[in-house]
Amino acid sequence: MDIRACLFDVFGTVVDWRTSVSREFAAFAQAKGIGGIDPVEFAVEWRKLYHPSMEEVRSGRRPFVILDVLHRESLAKLIGRYGIKGLSEADIDHLNRAWHRLDPWPDAIAGLTRLKQKFIIAPCSNGNIALMVNMAKRAGLPWDCILGAETARAYKPAAETYLAACRMLGLAPANVLMVAAHNPDLKAAKSQGLATAFVARPNEHGPGQTTDLKADETCVDIAAKDFVELAAKLGA
Amino acid sequence: MDIRACLFDVFGTVVDWRTSVSREFAAFAQAKGIGGIDPVEFAVEWRKLYHPSMEEVRSGRRPFVILDVLHRESLAKLIGRYGIKGLSEADIDHLNRAWHRLDPWPDAIAGLTRLKQKFIIAPCSNGNIALMVNMAKRAGLPWDCILGAETARAYKPAAETYLAACRMLGLAPANVLMVAAHNPDLKAAKSQGLATAFVARPNEHGPGQTTDLKADETCVDIAAKDFVELAAKLGA
């Protein structure tokens, strides 16, 4: 392998969306006097609307819109479903940007900092640029640039998301490593010729997680327990 | 002013293209046994083809292509004009990437590092993403993300280049500061509602420079002698 750049899935792979969105909702609910909603359940229900919302774009039924827009539409549905009343548009915008305020897994910054010494590092996330930049500024993620759905105008696992990232870096897919905690993401990247690395995040979905506990050997080149081990395996 | 992000012109404002491209051509010419061409003249002649090449895209006569492509076409013209023979495609690609290997002005990294503590910092250059990323990795430019012509699919001074950068950051133009050593760039940004800062680069065009020696007060909000003074003026 002759790797020049590492691309990263972000939600679940770099950051812990479940704990962070729960925390954000709990703080928001307290500030607004919203009672009786389990914050973890709210985060999980919000996330459940993620793939269906992107599927509207992936299927061609809807022109590309950024994830902030999809997240906000999903949030509006949840606010209706839970019967939450009296929120201003600014309140909803603030809660929607909970996804800009996600905390990294404990090893993420140390691993990325090592990897950055040797490789170009960039997200290849379905999150939009503002979301990724605001998250990185808050959390200290040392990206070299922001790639992904907004620059490709296509949502993973569409081939174009991976291919546009490689093209924009001026690199052949074989010189780019896709890193994710999700085997389907890696399967899609591998099918476009990228190298792949699996990093297990066995608590992404909380206790009792049954999916993505280990690498799918049919599509994964490297498996590591965290980003620091990944850096070591790549000689960074 | 409520500035959240600073966008930077790059060629001439952050980096010294004239000295760097001259150095790159001199090294290339020596390695390839090319004699009798003044490296500074070669750099200046290459740069002279920059605006006409982008004008093909700006005018709509040609679909958007990245600057690496335009630079290479201009380089091919110069190779023909100077009668340089015997270069491989790989040789020409290497020389074309001279624009990826430009050195920053002496104050640039110190100033950007300070500005990054308080603001999002990103290039808003006509250079493409790979060019900007490779330049940043080599020179140590601490960008938060890469914006500009490739993400906007429009070359400055087209309004869309500035507006797409603001939109992708999720910010109103009034919350974004465009920084450049070129008054026409700032005039175009100001006309789209961005705040503007002029940093003089009186040696960009070598001795005897007559243009852009000082800020055009009709379109410039802040003038600074270098990036460190700009950081100080912005409280960063």
Short mmCIF file of all heavy atoms in Angstrom, two decimals, chain B residues 26-77:
data_model
loop_
_atom_site.label_atom_id
_atom_site.label_comp_id
_atom_site.label_asym_id
_atom_site.label_seq_id
_atom_site.Cartn_x
_atom_site.Cartn_y
_atom_site.Cartn_z
N ALA B 26 14.20 27.22 -11.68
CA ALA B 26 15.66 27.18 -11.75
C ALA B 26 16.17 25.77 -11.43
O ALA B 26 17.05 25.24 -12.12
CB ALA B 26 16.25 28.20 -10.77
N ALA B 27 15.59 25.16 -10.39
CA ALA B 27 16.02 23.80 -10.01
C ALA B 27 15.67 22.80 -11.11
O ALA B 27 16.47 21.91 -11.44
CB ALA B 27 15.36 23.40 -8.68
N PHE B 28 14.49 22.97 -11.68
CA PHE B 28 14.03 22.08 -12.74
C PHE B 28 14.94 22.23 -13.97
O PHE B 28 15.37 21.22 -14.57
CB PHE B 28 12.59 22.44 -13.10
CG PHE B 28 11.98 21.58 -14.17
CD1 PHE B 28 11.41 20.35 -13.86
CD2 PHE B 28 11.95 22.02 -15.49
CE1 PHE B 28 10.83 19.57 -14.85
CE2 PHE B 28 11.36 21.24 -16.48
CZ PHE B 28 10.81 20.00 -16.16
N ALA B 29 15.22 23.47 -14.34
CA ALA B 29 16.05 23.72 -15.52
C ALA B 29 17.44 23.12 -15.35
O ALA B 29 17.98 22.50 -16.27
CB ALA B 29 16.14 25.24 -15.78
N GLN B 30 17.99 23.28 -14.15
CA GLN B 30 19.32 22.71 -13.90
C GLN B 30 19.28 21.18 -14.01
O GLN B 30 20.14 20.58 -14.66
CB GLN B 30 19.81 23.13 -12.52
CG GLN B 30 21.23 22.63 -12.23
CD GLN B 30 21.85 23.36 -11.04
OE1 GLN B 30 21.15 23.77 -10.11
NE2 GLN B 30 23.16 23.53 -11.08
N ALA B 31 18.25 20.57 -13.42
CA ALA B 31 18.14 19.11 -13.43
C ALA B 31 17.96 18.58 -14.85
O ALA B 31 18.42 17.48 -15.18
CB ALA B 31 16.98 18.67 -12.54
N LYS B 32 17.29 19.35 -15.68
CA LYS B 32 16.98 18.89 -17.04
C LYS B 32 17.95 19.44 -18.08
O LYS B 32 17.74 19.21 -19.29
CB LYS B 32 15.54 19.30 -17.41
CG LYS B 32 14.47 18.70 -16.51
CD LYS B 32 14.41 17.19 -16.66
CE LYS B 32 13.55 16.56 -15.56
NZ LYS B 32 13.64 15.08 -15.61
N GLY B 33 18.92 20.21 -17.65
CA GLY B 33 19.88 20.77 -18.60
C GLY B 33 19.30 21.81 -19.53
O GLY B 33 19.71 21.92 -20.70
N ILE B 34 18.33 22.57 -19.02
CA ILE B 34 17.72 23.64 -19.82
C ILE B 34 18.46 24.94 -19.50
O ILE B 34 18.49 25.38 -18.35
CB ILE B 34 16.22 23.80 -19.47
CG1 ILE B 34 15.47 22.50 -19.75
CG2 ILE B 34 15.61 24.98 -20.22
CD1 ILE B 34 14.10 22.43 -19.07
N GLY B 35 19.07 25.55 -20.49
CA GLY B 35 19.83 26.78 -20.23
C GLY B 35 19.22 27.98 -20.91
O GLY B 35 18.35 27.86 -21.78
N GLY B 36 19.69 29.16 -20.51
CA GLY B 36 19.35 30.38 -21.24
C GLY B 36 17.99 30.98 -20.97
O GLY B 36 17.55 31.87 -21.70
N ILE B 37 17.30 30.51 -19.94
CA ILE B 37 16.00 31.10 -19.61
C ILE B 37 16.09 31.70 -18.21
O ILE B 37 16.51 31.02 -17.27
CB ILE B 37 14.86 30.06 -19.65
CG1 ILE B 37 14.78 29.41 -21.03
CG2 ILE B 37 13.52 30.70 -19.26
CD1 ILE B 37 13.79 28.24 -21.11
N ASP B 38 15.73 32.97 -18.08
CA ASP B 38 15.74 33.61 -16.77
C ASP B 38 14.56 33.07 -15.94
O ASP B 38 13.40 33.19 -16.35
CB ASP B 38 15.60 35.13 -16.94
CG ASP B 38 15.50 35.83 -15.60
OD1 ASP B 38 16.32 35.54 -14.72
OD2 ASP B 38 14.58 36.64 -15.42
N PRO B 39 14.84 32.46 -14.79
CA PRO B 39 13.76 31.84 -14.00
C PRO B 39 12.69 32.83 -13.55
O PRO B 39 11.51 32.48 -13.51
CB PRO B 39 14.50 31.24 -12.79
CG PRO B 39 15.91 31.07 -13.24
CD PRO B 39 16.17 32.19 -14.20
N VAL B 40 13.09 34.04 -13.21
CA VAL B 40 12.08 35.03 -12.78
C VAL B 40 11.20 35.39 -13.97
O VAL B 40 9.96 35.48 -13.83
CB VAL B 40 12.76 36.28 -12.19
CG1 VAL B 40 11.71 37.35 -11.88
CG2 VAL B 40 13.55 35.92 -10.92
N GLU B 41 11.80 35.57 -15.12
CA GLU B 41 10.99 35.88 -16.31
C GLU B 41 10.02 34.74 -16.59
O GLU B 41 8.84 34.98 -16.91
CB GLU B 41 11.91 36.09 -17.53
CG GLU B 41 11.13 36.42 -18.79
CD GLU B 41 12.00 36.34 -20.04
OE1 GLU B 41 12.96 37.14 -20.13
OE2 GLU B 41 11.74 35.48 -20.92
N PHE B 42 10.48 33.50 -16.46
CA PHE B 42 9.61 32.35 -16.70
C PHE B 42 8.41 32.36 -15.75
O PHE B 42 7.25 32.17 -16.15
CB PHE B 42 10.39 31.04 -16.56
CG PHE B 42 9.67 29.84 -17.11
CD1 PHE B 42 9.84 29.44 -18.42
CD2 PHE B 42 8.79 29.11 -16.32
CE1 PHE B 42 9.16 28.34 -18.94
CE2 PHE B 42 8.10 28.00 -16.82
CZ PHE B 42 8.29 27.62 -18.14
N ALA B 43 8.69 32.62 -14.47
CA ALA B 43 7.61 32.68 -13.47
C ALA B 43 6.61 33.78 -13.82
O ALA B 43 5.39 33.58 -13.75
CB ALA B 43 8.20 32.90 -12.08
N VAL B 44 7.13 34.94 -14.19
CA VAL B 44 6.27 36.08 -14.49
C VAL B 44 5.44 35.82 -15.75
O VAL B 44 4.24 36.12 -15.80
CB VAL B 44 7.11 37.37 -14.62
CG1 VAL B 44 6.28 38.52 -15.17
CG2 VAL B 44 7.71 37.73 -13.25
N GLU B 45 6.06 35.21 -16.75
CA GLU B 45 5.32 34.90 -17.98
C GLU B 45 4.23 33.86 -17.72
O GLU B 45 3.13 33.95 -18.29
CB GLU B 45 6.29 34.39 -19.06
CG GLU B 45 7.23 35.45 -19.60
CD GLU B 45 6.50 36.63 -20.23
OE1 GLU B 45 5.59 36.39 -21.05
OE2 GLU B 45 6.80 37.78 -19.87
N TRP B 46 4.52 32.90 -16.87
CA TRP B 46 3.52 31.88 -16.51
C TRP B 46 2.32 32.56 -15.82
O TRP B 46 1.17 32.31 -16.14
CB TRP B 46 4.17 30.83 -15.60
CG TRP B 46 3.49 29.51 -15.50
CD1 TRP B 46 2.27 29.15 -16.02
CD2 TRP B 46 3.99 28.35 -14.82
NE1 TRP B 46 1.99 27.84 -15.70
CE2 TRP B 46 3.03 27.32 -14.97
CE3 TRP B 46 5.16 28.08 -14.10
CZ2 TRP B 46 3.20 26.05 -14.41
CZ3 TRP B 46 5.33 26.82 -13.55
CH2 TRP B 46 4.36 25.81 -13.71
N ARG B 47 2.66 33.44 -14.88
CA ARG B 47 1.61 34.14 -14.13
C ARG B 47 0.77 35.03 -15.05
O ARG B 47 -0.43 35.22 -14.81
CB ARG B 47 2.24 34.95 -13.02
CG ARG B 47 1.25 35.68 -12.11
CD ARG B 47 0.43 34.75 -11.25
NE ARG B 47 -0.35 35.47 -10.25
CZ ARG B 47 -1.20 34.92 -9.40
NH1 ARG B 47 -1.41 33.62 -9.42
NH2 ARG B 47 -1.86 35.65 -8.53
N LYS B 48 1.39 35.56 -16.10
CA LYS B 48 0.64 36.44 -17.02
C LYS B 48 -0.50 35.70 -17.72
O LYS B 48 -1.46 36.30 -18.17
CB LYS B 48 1.58 37.03 -18.09
CG LYS B 48 2.37 38.23 -17.63
CD LYS B 48 3.14 38.82 -18.81
CE LYS B 48 4.13 39.87 -18.34
NZ LYS B 48 5.12 40.20 -19.42
N LEU B 49 -0.35 34.38 -17.85
CA LEU B 49 -1.39 33.58 -18.52
C LEU B 49 -2.52 33.17 -17.57
O LEU B 49 -3.51 32.58 -17.99
CB LEU B 49 -0.75 32.33 -19.14
CG LEU B 49 0.30 32.61 -20.22
CD1 LEU B 49 0.98 31.31 -20.66
CD2 LEU B 49 -0.30 33.34 -21.41
N TYR B 50 -2.36 33.51 -16.27
CA TYR B 50 -3.30 33.09 -15.21
C TYR B 50 -4.68 33.72 -15.43
O TYR B 50 -5.69 33.01 -15.57
CB TYR B 50 -2.67 33.51 -13.89
CG TYR B 50 -3.48 33.37 -12.62
CD1 TYR B 50 -3.85 32.13 -12.13
CD2 TYR B 50 -3.80 34.51 -11.87
CE1 TYR B 50 -4.55 32.02 -10.92
CE2 TYR B 50 -4.49 34.41 -10.67
CZ TYR B 50 -4.86 33.17 -10.20
OH TYR B 50 -5.54 33.08 -9.01
N HIS B 51 -4.74 35.02 -15.48
CA HIS B 51 -6.06 35.66 -15.62
C HIS B 51 -6.74 35.36 -16.96
O HIS B 51 -7.93 35.03 -16.98
CB HIS B 51 -5.98 37.16 -15.34
CG HIS B 51 -6.08 37.45 -13.87
ND1 HIS B 51 -7.23 37.26 -13.15
CD2 HIS B 51 -5.14 37.87 -12.97
CE1 HIS B 51 -7.03 37.56 -11.87
NE2 HIS B 51 -5.76 37.92 -11.74
N PRO B 52 -6.01 35.41 -18.08
CA PRO B 52 -6.68 35.03 -19.34
C PRO B 52 -7.23 33.61 -19.31
O PRO B 52 -8.31 33.35 -19.85
CB PRO B 52 -5.55 35.17 -20.38
CG PRO B 52 -4.60 36.15 -19.79
CD PRO B 52 -4.65 35.94 -18.30
N SER B 53 -6.53 32.68 -18.66
CA SER B 53 -7.02 31.29 -18.64
C SER B 53 -8.30 31.19 -17.82
O SER B 53 -9.25 30.48 -18.20
CB SER B 53 -5.94 30.35 -18.10
OG SER B 53 -5.68 30.57 -16.72
N MET B 54 -8.36 31.90 -16.69
CA MET B 54 -9.58 31.87 -15.88
C MET B 54 -10.73 32.61 -16.56
O MET B 54 -11.89 32.27 -16.37
CB MET B 54 -9.32 32.51 -14.51
CG MET B 54 -8.41 31.68 -13.63
SD MET B 54 -8.32 32.33 -11.95
CE MET B 54 -7.53 33.91 -12.27
N GLU B 55 -10.38 33.60 -17.37
CA GLU B 55 -11.43 34.39 -18.02
C GLU B 55 -12.26 33.51 -18.97
O GLU B 55 -13.45 33.77 -19.16
CB GLU B 55 -10.81 35.58 -18.77
CG GLU B 55 -11.82 36.58 -19.29
CD GLU B 55 -12.77 37.14 -18.23
OE1 GLU B 55 -12.40 37.19 -17.04
OE2 GLU B 55 -13.90 37.52 -18.61
N GLU B 56 -11.64 32.46 -19.52
CA GLU B 56 -12.40 31.52 -20.36
C GLU B 56 -13.54 30.89 -19.57
O GLU B 56 -14.62 30.66 -20.10
CB GLU B 56 -11.47 30.43 -20.91
CG GLU B 56 -10.48 30.94 -21.93
CD GLU B 56 -11.18 31.55 -23.14
OE1 GLU B 56 -11.94 30.82 -23.81
OE2 GLU B 56 -10.98 32.76 -23.39
N VAL B 57 -13.26 30.59 -18.30
CA VAL B 57 -14.29 29.99 -17.43
C VAL B 57 -15.27 31.07 -16.94
O VAL B 57 -16.49 30.88 -16.98
CB VAL B 57 -13.64 29.26 -16.23
CG1 VAL B 57 -14.69 28.75 -15.26
CG2 VAL B 57 -12.75 28.11 -16.73
N ARG B 58 -14.72 32.18 -16.48
CA ARG B 58 -15.57 33.25 -15.95
C ARG B 58 -16.57 33.74 -16.99
O ARG B 58 -17.70 34.09 -16.67
CB ARG B 58 -14.71 34.43 -15.47
CG ARG B 58 -14.02 34.17 -14.15
CD ARG B 58 -13.44 35.45 -13.55
NE ARG B 58 -12.31 35.95 -14.32
CZ ARG B 58 -11.05 36.02 -13.85
NH1 ARG B 58 -10.77 35.65 -12.61
NH2 ARG B 58 -10.09 36.49 -14.59
N SER B 59 -16.14 33.76 -18.23
CA SER B 59 -17.00 34.27 -19.31
C SER B 59 -18.08 33.28 -19.71
O SER B 59 -18.98 33.63 -20.45
CB SER B 59 -16.14 34.57 -20.53
OG SER B 59 -15.62 33.35 -21.06
N GLY B 60 -17.94 32.03 -19.25
CA GLY B 60 -18.90 31.00 -19.64
C GLY B 60 -18.53 30.31 -20.94
O GLY B 60 -19.24 29.40 -21.38
N ARG B 61 -17.42 30.70 -21.55
CA ARG B 61 -17.00 30.04 -22.80
C ARG B 61 -16.53 28.62 -22.54
O ARG B 61 -16.47 27.80 -23.46
CB ARG B 61 -15.88 30.84 -23.49
CG ARG B 61 -16.35 32.14 -24.13
CD ARG B 61 -15.26 32.77 -25.00
NE ARG B 61 -14.11 33.25 -24.24
CZ ARG B 61 -14.00 34.48 -23.72
NH1 ARG B 61 -14.97 35.37 -23.87
NH2 ARG B 61 -12.92 34.84 -23.05
N ARG B 62 -16.20 28.32 -21.31
CA ARG B 62 -15.64 27.02 -20.98
C ARG B 62 -16.21 26.57 -19.64
O ARG B 62 -16.31 27.38 -18.72
CB ARG B 62 -14.11 27.18 -20.86
CG ARG B 62 -13.39 25.92 -20.51
CD ARG B 62 -11.88 26.12 -20.52
NE ARG B 62 -11.26 24.83 -20.33
CZ ARG B 62 -9.95 24.61 -20.33
NH1 ARG B 62 -9.11 25.61 -20.52
NH2 ARG B 62 -9.47 23.39 -20.15
N PRO B 63 -16.57 25.28 -19.51
CA PRO B 63 -17.04 24.79 -18.20
C PRO B 63 -15.92 24.89 -17.17
O PRO B 63 -14.74 24.90 -17.54
CB PRO B 63 -17.40 23.32 -18.45
CG PRO B 63 -17.39 23.13 -19.92
CD PRO B 63 -16.55 24.22 -20.53
N PHE B 64 -16.29 24.90 -15.90
CA PHE B 64 -15.29 25.01 -14.85
C PHE B 64 -14.29 23.87 -14.91
O PHE B 64 -14.66 22.70 -15.00
CB PHE B 64 -15.95 25.03 -13.46
CG PHE B 64 -14.94 25.20 -12.36
CD1 PHE B 64 -14.49 26.45 -12.02
CD2 PHE B 64 -14.42 24.09 -11.70
CE1 PHE B 64 -13.52 26.61 -11.04
CE2 PHE B 64 -13.45 24.24 -10.71
CZ PHE B 64 -13.00 25.50 -10.38
N VAL B 65 -13.03 24.22 -14.86
CA VAL B 65 -11.95 23.25 -14.63
C VAL B 65 -11.06 23.83 -13.55
O VAL B 65 -10.98 25.05 -13.38
CB VAL B 65 -11.10 22.95 -15.89
CG1 VAL B 65 -11.92 22.21 -16.93
CG2 VAL B 65 -10.51 24.24 -16.47
N ILE B 66 -10.37 22.95 -12.80
CA ILE B 66 -9.54 23.42 -11.69
C ILE B 66 -8.28 24.11 -12.19
O ILE B 66 -7.85 23.93 -13.34
CB ILE B 66 -9.17 22.26 -10.73
CG1 ILE B 66 -8.37 21.17 -11.45
CG2 ILE B 66 -10.42 21.71 -10.07
CD1 ILE B 66 -7.83 20.07 -10.52
N LEU B 67 -7.67 24.87 -11.29
CA LEU B 67 -6.51 25.67 -11.67
C LEU B 67 -5.32 24.81 -12.08
O LEU B 67 -4.54 25.23 -12.95
CB LEU B 67 -6.12 26.62 -10.52
CG LEU B 67 -5.07 27.68 -10.89
CD1 LEU B 67 -5.58 28.61 -11.98
CD2 LEU B 67 -4.66 28.47 -9.66
N ASP B 68 -5.14 23.63 -11.49
CA ASP B 68 -4.05 22.76 -11.95
C ASP B 68 -4.13 22.52 -13.45
O ASP B 68 -3.08 22.45 -14.12
CB ASP B 68 -4.10 21.40 -11.23
CG ASP B 68 -3.37 21.39 -9.88
OD1 ASP B 68 -2.63 22.35 -9.58
OD2 ASP B 68 -3.54 20.39 -9.15
N VAL B 69 -5.32 22.39 -13.97
CA VAL B 69 -5.50 22.18 -15.42
C VAL B 69 -5.14 23.44 -16.20
O VAL B 69 -4.42 23.39 -17.20
CB VAL B 69 -6.95 21.74 -15.72
CG1 VAL B 69 -7.22 21.71 -17.22
CG2 VAL B 69 -7.25 20.39 -15.08
N LEU B 70 -5.60 24.58 -15.72
CA LEU B 70 -5.28 25.84 -16.41
C LEU B 70 -3.78 26.13 -16.34
O LEU B 70 -3.17 26.53 -17.34
CB LEU B 70 -6.08 27.00 -15.78
CG LEU B 70 -7.59 26.90 -15.87
CD1 LEU B 70 -8.24 28.09 -15.16
CD2 LEU B 70 -8.07 26.83 -17.32
N HIS B 71 -3.18 25.91 -15.19
CA HIS B 71 -1.73 26.12 -15.06
C HIS B 71 -0.96 25.23 -16.03
O HIS B 71 0.04 25.65 -16.62
CB HIS B 71 -1.28 25.77 -13.62
CG HIS B 71 -1.34 26.91 -12.66
ND1 HIS B 71 -1.47 26.72 -11.30
CD2 HIS B 71 -1.29 28.26 -12.83
CE1 HIS B 71 -1.48 27.90 -10.68
NE2 HIS B 71 -1.39 28.84 -11.59
N ARG B 72 -1.44 24.00 -16.18
CA ARG B 72 -0.70 23.07 -17.05
C ARG B 72 -0.82 23.47 -18.52
O ARG B 72 0.13 23.35 -19.29
CB ARG B 72 -1.17 21.63 -16.82
CG ARG B 72 -0.12 20.60 -17.27
CD ARG B 72 -0.62 19.21 -17.05
NE ARG B 72 0.40 18.19 -17.27
CZ ARG B 72 0.93 17.84 -18.43
NH1 ARG B 72 0.57 18.47 -19.53
NH2 ARG B 72 1.83 16.88 -18.51
N GLU B 73 -2.00 23.91 -18.90
CA GLU B 73 -2.17 24.39 -20.28
C GLU B 73 -1.28 25.61 -20.54
O GLU B 73 -0.67 25.73 -21.62
CB GLU B 73 -3.64 24.75 -20.53
CG GLU B 73 -4.56 23.52 -20.53
CD GLU B 73 -6.03 23.87 -20.60
OE1 GLU B 73 -6.38 25.08 -20.61
OE2 GLU B 73 -6.85 22.93 -20.65
N SER B 74 -1.22 26.51 -19.56
CA SER B 74 -0.36 27.69 -19.71
C SER B 74 1.10 27.27 -19.79
O SER B 74 1.88 27.82 -20.59
CB SER B 74 -0.57 28.64 -18.53
OG SER B 74 -1.90 29.11 -18.49
N LEU B 75 1.48 26.28 -18.98
CA LEU B 75 2.85 25.79 -18.98
C LEU B 75 3.21 25.18 -20.34
O LEU B 75 4.30 25.42 -20.87
CB LEU B 75 3.03 24.76 -17.86
CG LEU B 75 4.39 24.09 -17.75
CD1 LEU B 75 5.51 25.11 -17.58
CD2 LEU B 75 4.39 23.09 -16.59
N ALA B 76 2.27 24.44 -20.90
CA ALA B 76 2.52 23.85 -22.23
C ALA B 76 2.76 24.94 -23.27
O ALA B 76 3.64 24.80 -24.13
CB ALA B 76 1.33 22.96 -22.63
N LYS B 77 2.02 26.03 -23.17
CA LYS B 77 2.25 27.15 -24.09
C LYS B 77 3.65 27.73 -23.93
O LYS B 77 4.34 28.01 -24.90
CB LYS B 77 1.23 28.28 -23.84
CG LYS B 77 -0.16 27.99 -24.36
CD LYS B 77 -1.09 29.18 -24.10
CE LYS B 77 -2.54 28.75 -24.27
NZ LYS B 77 -3.49 29.78 -23.85
#
